[in-house]
């Protein structure tokens, strides 16, 4: 059997130097500390907003980078048969490396870009020095049979230098917005495929046969040299393609890298044919390598690691690390054959359960499974990792009781990194003011294409700390005009920005193309030092009052707000319907937390829905309780407008009588000029006249779509927006996004009918239910599609003043958004949720 210097061929091994075994206890203890922090951060993520990037970097930058640096030096010394480096070098390298890692995590988490950049420079500098030492020691050893392995380590280090530099650039906050995604993708690929991938592939040439306790196959050196000659250029081309945003170049580079990796794994497969896995370490390395191959194939086809991180981090990197440590730790801790056997037995406990659990869980982490299944899979993975950490710590302590110095160094790393995690994700979620230091802490949310709060007021000179969390379903960031910027945040991730001294007005925005124009902006203003403010003024009750700022449709409605009841009751049996409507001015909630004075019929927007059948007579009494003239116009009736549609003055009343001669969904509205203002300020409603033989359904709703113009009704600014067709939002039943917060309901299998009337006054609608298809469409008094027809429909399109209905059967439980598919309207309030239960 060919050895790599960690397991002798025959006889009892010579006792290793005490200093080296102690060194390995310390170095690998640091690795275990970072692994433990990863587990803790992952378990508390649902209690504290621990960002995903922190979890990834605790694992990759903390645990994996420490392991690669430690073990590549060990393997290089063993394979080149050169003495270990002076004792001062590994200790210095360990301290500086981990100081750099902590600086990166602190700098990004707390919003100190140059701390993060300094930390990245420290990490890059340590790895550059590490590979320089490896290269010089390799030359002094005059090469050898295994010199090819060291070449893989040198190129792996070069990849980390590249990836760390890209990471430092992103952390600096000075990367143009159009380049951030490119740098992020290149950073991920070069670190995972280069720093980790090249180091692992180079090590497997000798570690794999050693773990299997079999001889090395012939031709390994030649294969290692040729595969490296293709892997490095392939990775370089892929990274260059990502930076240049040339996808065909990325594909070419990844295919070359994948081919080189396949060639490098030929000895792995040939060795596997000589002897099958039979130890815990061999099974873990075999599983990890298999997942690496799967990830490479998917990555080459998609040119992105997005969605593959669980497979890469858990399936490949995590299992490879645990497999290597399971085999190597008992060896390097020393103590003779008896100690080796006892330590191996300890660290390998319940390995079958752990390995099986991880490999069953890995596909569940990347496949489209229910959330509870994915969460259960993560719990299984973390439990297996925690079990390994405990066993590995017990193995180290069994061989070496830590000295006060070692314990102090380990505790320092643990507490410092733990503090990073707490400051990044924990703390009081409410804004705070620390008067003694002049520091204010404000929680900022990126959600629904808005930045909340939209305006922050602070006294001049205040040190402002913004804890920014992306609560949206897509990536966002926050950049301030004063230079501070978060990294690009995935959903659920957080970062902190610090403005050392607030002076004047500072604009902030999301740099994702198009998001700033879509309303993802904020301002920091000098003024009162109230804990928070919004883009609008507030009234005495705390409601947002009328203004012209961007609406925050994701905000919570005011306490006590109730949605307009969209459920449509069956037509009454009587042939005559008498209704009294009072024209009144009412303060209503027109968007979440936003109050507006509206002109109404009956105190609501829309006005009460009237329903009847063909031939029914409606007798409507209009009473004007306002201070201005109003009238009424029912599209459902056919008659001369001179008298019934006349304007009546305050305190007057009129009677409007009409007979419903035709079926349809009809609009009624104020008939007083200028009608644009009266309708736009809320004076509209719907009359539903059932078509003959209209079948019953399980759920029946009515939605009246209208436009929202913020501001004092009738003011010059508001009227200018109406004339220019610039609503502040669009509404279903009088509240923008109201049914997002109070969803309509149905059960799976229910037939649902939705009547829609477009009140305008200027905008058409394209009504759509996401995830549903209409099998019945009725528009302007006629069926366009009936149940049983072979076709289907997706949109009910209506011009202002038109109406109709659609029917669909809800296929399964879930949340079905309904929208105006004109996305200018849908993204500005004309949307809601139909919640379907089992």
């Amino acid at each position: 059997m060919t050895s790599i210097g960690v397991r002798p061929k025959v006889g009892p091994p010579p006792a290793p130097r005490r200093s080296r075994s102690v060194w390995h206890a310390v170095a690998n203890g640091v690795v275990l500390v970072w692994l433990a922090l990863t587990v803790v951060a992952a378990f508390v993520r649902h209690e504290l907003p621990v960002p995903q990037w922190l979890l990834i970097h605790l694992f990759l930058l903390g645990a994996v980078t420490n392991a690669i640096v430690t073990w590549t030096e060990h393997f290089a010394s063993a394979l080149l048969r050169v003495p270990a480096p002076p004792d001062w070098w590994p200790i210095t390298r360990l301290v500086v490396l981990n100081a750099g890692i902590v600086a990166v995590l602190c700098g990004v988490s707390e919003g100190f870009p140059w701390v993060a950049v300094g930390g990245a420079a420290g990490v890059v500098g340590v790895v550059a020095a590490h590979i320089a030492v490896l290269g010089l020691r390799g030359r002094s050893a005059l090469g050898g049979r295994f010199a090819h392995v060291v070449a893989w380590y040198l190129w792996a280090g070069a990849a980390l230098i590249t990836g760390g530099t890209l990471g430092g650039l992103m952390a600096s906050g000075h990367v143009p917005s159009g380049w951030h995604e490119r740098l992020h993708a290149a950073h991920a690929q070069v670190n995972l495929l280069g720093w980790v991938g090249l180091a692992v592939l180079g090590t497997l040439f000798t570690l794999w046969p050693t773990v299997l306790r079999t001889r090395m196959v012939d031709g390994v050196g030649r294969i290692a040299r040729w595969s490296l000659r293709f892997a490095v250029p392939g990775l370089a081309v892929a990274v260059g393609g990502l930076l240049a945003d040339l996808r065909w170049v990325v594909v070419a580079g990844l295919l070359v890298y994948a081919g080189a990796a396949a060639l490098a794994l030929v000895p792995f497969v040939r060795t596997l044919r000589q002897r099958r896995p039979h130890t815990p370490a061999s099974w873990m390395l075999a599983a990890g390598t298999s997942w690496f191959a799967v990830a490479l194939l998917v990555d080459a086809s998609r040119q992105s690691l997005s969605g593959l991180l669980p497979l890469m981090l858990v399936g490949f990197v995590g299992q490879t690390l645990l497999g290597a440590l399971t085999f190597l730790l008992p060896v390097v801790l020393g103590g003779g054959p008896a100690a080796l056997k006892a330590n191996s037995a300890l660290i390998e406990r319940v390995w079958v359960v752990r390995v099986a659990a991880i490999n069953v869980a890995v596909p569940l982490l990347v496949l489209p499974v229910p959330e509870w299944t994915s969460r259960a899979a993560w719990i299984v993975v973390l439990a297996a990792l925690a079990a390994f950490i405990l066993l590995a710590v017990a193995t180290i302590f069994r061989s070496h009781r830590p000295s006060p110095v070692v314990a102090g160094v380990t505790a320092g790393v643990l507490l410092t990194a733990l503090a990073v995690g707490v400051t990044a994700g924990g703390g009081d979620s409410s804004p705070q003011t620390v008067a003694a230091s002049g520091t204010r802490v404000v929680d900022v949310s990126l959600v629904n294409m808005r930045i909340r709060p939209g305006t922050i007021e602070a006294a001049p000179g205040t040190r402002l700390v913004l804890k920014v969390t992306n609560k949206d379903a897509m990536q966002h960031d926050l950049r301030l005009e004063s230079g501070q910027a978060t990294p690009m945040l995935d959903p659920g991730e957080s970062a902190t920005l610090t403005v050392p001294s607030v002076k004047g007005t500072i604009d902030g925005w999301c740099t994702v193309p198009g998001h700033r124009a879509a309303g993802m902006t904020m301002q920091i203003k000098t003024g009162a030092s109230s804990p928070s403010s919004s883009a609008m003024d507030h009234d005495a009750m705390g409601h947002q009052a009328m203004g012209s700022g961007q609406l925050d449709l994701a905000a919570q409605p005011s306490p006590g707000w109730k949605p307009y009841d969209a459920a449509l009751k069956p037509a009454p049996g009587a042939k005559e319907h008498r209704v009294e409507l009072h024209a009144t001015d009412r303060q209503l909630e027109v968007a979440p937390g936003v109050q507006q004075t509206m002109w109404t019929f009956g105190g609501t927007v829309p006005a009460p829905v009237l329903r009847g059948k063909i031939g029914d007579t409606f007798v409507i009494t209009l009473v004007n309780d306002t201070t201005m003239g109003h009238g009424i116009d029912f599209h459902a009736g056919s008659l001369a407008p001179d008298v019934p549609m006349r304007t009546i003055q305050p305190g007057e009343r009129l009677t409007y009588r009409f007979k419903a001669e035709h079926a349809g969904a009809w609009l009624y509205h104020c008939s007083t000029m200028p009608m644009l203002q009266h309708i736009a300020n809320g004076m509209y409603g719907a009359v539903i006249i059932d078509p003959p033989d209209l079948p019953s359904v399980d759920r029946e709703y009515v939605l009246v779509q209208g436009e929202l113009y913020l501001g004092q009704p009738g003011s010059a600014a508001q009227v200018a927006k109406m004339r220019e067709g610039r609503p502040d939002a669009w509404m279903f039943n009088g509240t923008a996004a109201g049914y997002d917060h109070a969803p309509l309901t149905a059960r799976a299998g229910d037939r649902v009918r939705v009547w829609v009337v477009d009140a305008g006054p200027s905008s058409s609608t394209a009504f759509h239910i996401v995830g549903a298809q209409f099998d019945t469409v009725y528009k302007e008094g006629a069926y366009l599609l009936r149940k049983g027809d072979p076709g289907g429909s997706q949109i009910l399109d209506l011009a202002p003043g038109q109406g109709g209905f659609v029917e669909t059967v809800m296929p399964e439980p879930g949340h079905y958004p309904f929208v105006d598919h004109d996305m200018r309207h849908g993204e500005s309030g004309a949307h809601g949720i139909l919640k379907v239960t089992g």
Side-chain angles (χ1 to χ4, degrees):
M1 180 181 78
T2 300
S3 172
I4 61 169
V6 295
R7 215 187 267 276
K9 289 191 286 186
V10 294
R17 292 187 304 171
R18 177 69 176 173
S19 60
R20 296 309 296 167
S21 64
V22 171
W23 156 247
H24 275 292
V26 173
N28 288 287
V30 171
V31 173
L32 295 175
V33 166
W34 287 110
L35 288 176
L37 285 169
T38 304
V39 172
V40 171
F43 270 121
V44 304
R45 192 179 183 194
H46 293 290
E47 300 297 328
L48 301 174
V50 178
Q52 183 181 9
W53 73 263
L54 181 60
L55 288 174
I56 293 172
H57 286 78
L58 284 171
F59 177 63
L60 285 179
L61 188 58
V64 175
T65 294
N66 270 283
I68 291 176
V69 169
T70 296
W71 288 106
T72 52
E73 179 194 75
H74 174 85
F75 292 140
S77 298
L79 296 172
L80 297 174
R81 299 183 183 278
V82 295
D87 289 342
W88 66 268
W89 167 237
I91 291 293
T92 303
R93 186 186 63 209
L94 179 73
V95 171
V96 177
L97 175 63
N98 284 279
I101 293 170
V102 170
V104 169
L105 301 181
C106 283
V108 175
S109 300
E110 292 301 304
F112 296 106
W114 293 110
V115 174
V117 171
V123 172
V124 167
V126 167
V127 173
H130 170 65
I131 63 173
V133 170
L134 292 185
L136 291 173
R137 297 177 74 221
R139 293 183 62 183
S140 67
L142 301 178
R145 183 182 177 191
F146 301 111
H148 57 81
V149 174
V150 178
W152 284 80
Y153 296 160
L154 299 182
W155 283 109
L160 186 279
I161 292 171
T162 303
T165 301
L166 295 176
L169 286 173
M170 289 188 291
S172 72
H174 294 290
V175 175
S177 60
W179 276 84
H180 196 284
E181 284 299 309
R182 304 183 192 184
L183 264 64
H184 185 271
H187 170 77
Q189 294 279 1
V190 75
N191 282 330
L192 280 172
L193 301 186
W195 175 232
V196 180
L198 295 180
V200 169
L201 289 172
T203 300
L204 286 176
F205 289 121
T206 50
L207 178 62
W208 181 236
T210 305
V211 170
L212 288 179
R213 300 187 180 94
T214 188
R215 67 177 182 83
M216 185 181 295
V217 298
D218 296 332
V220 170
R222 184 174 64 258
I223 290 176
R225 285 187 289 272
W226 275 104
S227 55
L228 183 63
R229 290 169 186 168
F230 285 96
V232 172
L235 181 59
V237 168
V239 171
L242 288 168
L243 293 175
D245 199 22
L246 298 173
R247 288 296 165 181
W248 64 270
V249 175
V250 179
V251 172
L254 290 176
L255 288 175
V256 171
Y257 179 92
L263 178 61
L265 290 174
V266 168
F268 183 95
V269 176
R270 291 172 58 193
T271 304
L272 187 63
R273 295 174 65 183
Q274 289 181 175
R275 190 170 193 188
R276 300 296 175 84
H278 59 283
T279 63
S282 62
W283 278 108
M284 292 181 202
L285 291 175
T289 305
S290 300
W291 287 120
F292 181 50
V294 172
L296 283 182
L297 292 175
V298 180
D299 186 25
S301 66
R302 297 172 51 192
Q303 307 94 56
S304 173
L305 290 171
S306 176
L308 292 179
L309 283 179
L311 191 153
M312 288 288 284
L313 299 184
V314 178
F316 165 50
V317 182
Q319 283 199 104
T320 301
L321 176 61
L322 268 58
L325 291 179
T326 297
F327 177 78
L328 296 168
L329 266 182
V331 177
V332 297
L333 292 177
L340 173 62
K341 184 176 181 180
N343 286 336
S344 295
L346 177 58
I347 202 170
E348 293 173 358
R349 287 184 181 179
V350 294
W351 71 270
V352 174
V353 175
R354 289 188 279 122
V355 173
I358 289 174
N359 287 282
V360 169
V362 166
L364 300 179
L365 302 177
V366 294
L367 293 176
V369 297
E371 183 180 355
W372 69 266
T373 306
S374 177
R375 184 171 298 183
W378 275 116
I379 292 174
V380 167
V381 167
L382 294 172
L385 177 56
F388 171 81
I389 294 169
L390 294 174
L391 293 171
V393 170
T395 302
I396 293 176
F397 283 180
R398 186 183 182 281
S399 302
H400 299 282
R401 293 189 179 276
S403 67
V405 173
V406 172
V409 171
T410 304
V413 173
L414 174 63
L415 293 175
T416 303
L418 184 60
V420 172
V422 170
T423 55
D428 189 354
S429 62
S430 60
Q432 301 177 36
T433 301
V434 183
S437 63
T439 297
R440 278 193 57 214
V441 180
V442 179
D443 289 319
V444 176
S445 298
L446 312 177
V447 61
N448 280 36
M449 297 296 291
R450 292 291 182 268
I451 301 174
R452 301 172 54 195
T455 302
I456 299 172
E457 291 188 358
T462 299
R463 178 177 180 267
L464 190 61
V465 178
L466 306 182
K467 291 191 173 183
V468 184
T469 302
N470 182 8
K471 297 182 178 180
D472 215 340
M474 66 185 78
Q475 287 187 326
H476 294 298
D477 66 350
L478 176 60
R479 173 167 294 183
L480 300 181
E481 187 180 20
S482 52
Q484 296 83 1
T486 70
M488 192 62 64
L489 301 175
D490 287 326
E493 289 190 333
S494 301
T496 302
L497 297 182
T498 301
V499 181
S501 179
V502 175
K503 297 177 181 178
T505 298
I506 302 172
D507 289 326
W509 62 90
C510 175
T511 67
V512 176
H515 287 196
R516 185 179 187 179
M520 288 202 73
T521 60
M522 69 171 299
Q523 278 193 336
I524 301 171
K525 297 180 177 180
T526 53
S529 57
S530 58
S532 64
S533 65
S534 70
M536 294 183 175
D537 295 328
H538 288 66
D539 62 23
M541 298 298 294
H543 302 123
Q544 292 181 0
M546 296 176 292
S548 58
Q550 292 280 359
L551 290 173
D552 183 359
L553 300 177
Q556 289 301 311
S558 301
W561 170 80
K562 292 182 179 180
Y564 186 96
D565 187 2
L568 183 60
K569 297 179 175 60
K575 299 296 291 181
E576 184 176 271
H577 310 275
R578 290 185 172 270
V579 178
E580 185 170 283
L581 292 176
H582 289 253
T584 61
D585 296 343
R586 288 291 178 86
Q587 187 88 354
L588 300 177
E589 185 141 339
V590 293
V594 179
Q595 302 287 318
Q596 167 94 340
T597 297
M598 303 294 288
W599 300 344
T600 77
F601 292 126
T604 63
V605 175
V609 176
L610 309 180
R611 189 174 194 180
K613 298 180 180 180
I614 295 175
D616 288 0
T617 298
F618 289 80
V619 181
I620 311 299
T621 300
L622 174 65
V623 181
N624 188 355
D625 291 336
T626 72
T627 58
M628 62 185 299
H630 290 296
I632 198 164
D633 175 4
F634 285 93
H635 291 194
S638 179
L639 72 173
D642 305 65
V643 175
M645 299 184 197
R646 72 185 186 278
T647 297
I648 60 173
Q649 298 306 313
E652 295 181 348
R653 63 172 57 209
L654 67 77
T655 298
Y656 192 123
R657 179 189 296 269
F658 68 90
K659 184 177 182 180
E661 297 180 350
H662 299 283
W666 304 93
L667 177 69
Y668 71 93
H669 58 84
C670 184
S671 58
T672 297
M673 298 296 289
M675 255 182 278
L676 173 67
Q677 295 183 40
H678 286 250
I679 296 174
N681 277 307
M683 303 195 82
Y684 55 81
V687 178
I688 306 298
I689 305 300
D690 292 353
D693 302 318
L694 182 68
S696 62
V697 292
D698 299 298
R699 309 275 175 159
E700 194 167 16
Y701 294 110
V702 61
L703 298 174
V704 183
Q705 181 171 326
E707 299 162 12
L708 172 62
Y709 295 90
L710 296 175
Q712 184 65 36
S715 66
Q718 190 202 43
V719 172
K721 288 190 290 185
M722 293 177 185
R723 288 175 175 169
E724 294 167 10
R726 294 187 293 106
D728 293 284
W730 282 260
M731 308 178 291
F732 283 131
N733 290 352
T735 305
Y739 295 117
D740 282 4
H741 303 276
L744 306 182
T745 60
R747 297 180 65 85
D750 278 356
R751 172 166 289 275
V752 177
R753 178 184 297 137
V754 182
W755 294 83
V756 183
V757 173
D758 184 357
S762 303
S763 302
S764 299
T765 186
F767 182 76
H768 172 69
I769 301 178
V770 180
Q773 293 180 328
F774 306 142
D775 62 15
T776 304
V777 177
Y778 181 90
K779 175 183 175 183
E780 287 295 284
Y783 283 96
L784 304 183
L785 181 70
R786 288 179 181 268
K787 177 183 175 183
D789 289 349
S793 177
Q794 56 202 316
I795 293 290
L796 173 60
D797 58 315
L798 301 171
Q802 291 188 322
F805 71 78
V806 293
E807 291 181 13
T808 184
V809 176
M810 309 315 300
E812 60 183 347
H815 294 77
Y816 295 75
F818 54 87
V819 300
D820 179 344
H821 215 285
D822 183 330
M823 288 305 164
R824 297 169 301 167
H825 309 164
E827 293 176 359
S828 298
H831 54 79
I833 299 292
L834 176 58
K835 181 179 180 180
V836 178
T837 56

